[in-house]
Amino acid sequence: MLSKTMFILASAATLVNSQFDPTSVPYATRQAWCNSQTSACPILCLQLPGASGTPTSNTCSADTLLYNCVCNNNVIPNASEFSQTIPYYTCTETNNQCVKNCNGNSSCQNDCRVKNPCGAQDPKRVNITTTAKPTPTASETPVNTLVNGATSAGPRMASFNMSHVYGLCVLVGGFVAGFTTLL
């Protein structure tokens, strides 16, 4: 199964590279793209059922922009559905080069981006768990004693959802990685 997976991966990477010339981008930029790709791979694996954030293969060549991201369940995530990945970077760079070649023609420039959208067009939300939180009964609600023996419902503990923190870390990391490529 793994060798078949590697063949599919190599075929997909070849297809991407047949449409994009890596040497059209400075080497330092390609290195930054590869760093983002290898950083994104574990996160992409977490989106797949049955996979952990520890891929069995996670490589990227700044020379060729060929990359490998194989999750521990032998599934290759669709990196083109995410930003901060080689398919996303090559797509946006292709669009930038297309716009540049339009020589100021706004209709041509618009077509460059509209006819070649990058990233997820209809992302599937996986690994999402929705659970209803029970409403506390009167006996479960904290009570504070006030002056003259009166009571009041006490402050409830703030629920802390780690998925929001994780998402924020990924978002901030993406901004930092994107910003460093501009420098």
Side-chain angles (χ1 to χ4, degrees):
M1 175 68 179
L2 187 57
S3 62
K4 183 177 180 182
T5 303
M6 296 305 247
F7 173 75
I8 293 169
L9 177 64
S11 298
T14 301
L15 177 62
V16 167
N17 281 336
S18 68
Q19 299 171 1
F20 181 79
D21 178 15
T23 62
S24 66
V25 176
Y27 187 79
T29 301
R30 288 181 275 153
Q31 283 179 315
W33 289 0
C34 275
N35 289 341
S36 291
Q37 171 65 45
T38 56
S39 294
C41 181
I43 298 166
L44 301 181
C45 288
L46 285 173
Q47 303 301 311
L48 299 174
S52 73
T54 307
T56 58
S57 179
N58 185 12
T59 61
C60 183
S61 167
D63 291 324
T64 63
L65 294 180
L66 292 175
Y67 65 96
N68 244 337
C69 178
V70 180
C71 302
N72 69 322
N73 62 352
N74 292 326
V75 175
I76 300 169
N78 183 358
S80 67
E81 290 287 315
F82 298 89
S83 62
Q84 311 300 319
T85 62
I86 295 298
Y88 177 79
Y89 288 126
T90 57
C91 179
T92 55
E93 182 60 26
T94 299
N95 288 351
N96 292 342
Q97 291 174 9
C98 177
V99 167
K100 182 180 177 185
N101 292 335
C102 286
N103 296 320
N105 180 327
S106 61
S107 176
C108 173
Q109 292 171 337
N110 184 58
D111 284 349
C112 289
R113 305 227 189 266
V114 171
K115 291 182 179 179
N116 188 33
C118 303
Q121 302 309 301
D122 187 21
K124 295 179 182 124
R125 303 224 12 147
V126 294
N127 256 0
I128 301 294
T129 305
T130 306
T131 56
K133 293 183 180 179
T135 305
T137 62
S139 64
E140 295 172 325
T141 304
V143 175
N144 290 338
T145 304
L146 303 176
V147 178
N148 297 330
T151 59
S152 162
R156 294 188 180 158
M157 297 297 291
S159 66
F160 194 75
N161 189 338
M162 286 303 292
S163 64
H164 292 273
V165 173
Y166 182 72
L168 179 61
C169 290
V170 170
L171 180 64
V172 170
F175 280 123
V176 170
F179 182 72
T180 58
T181 61
L182 295 175
L183 298 175

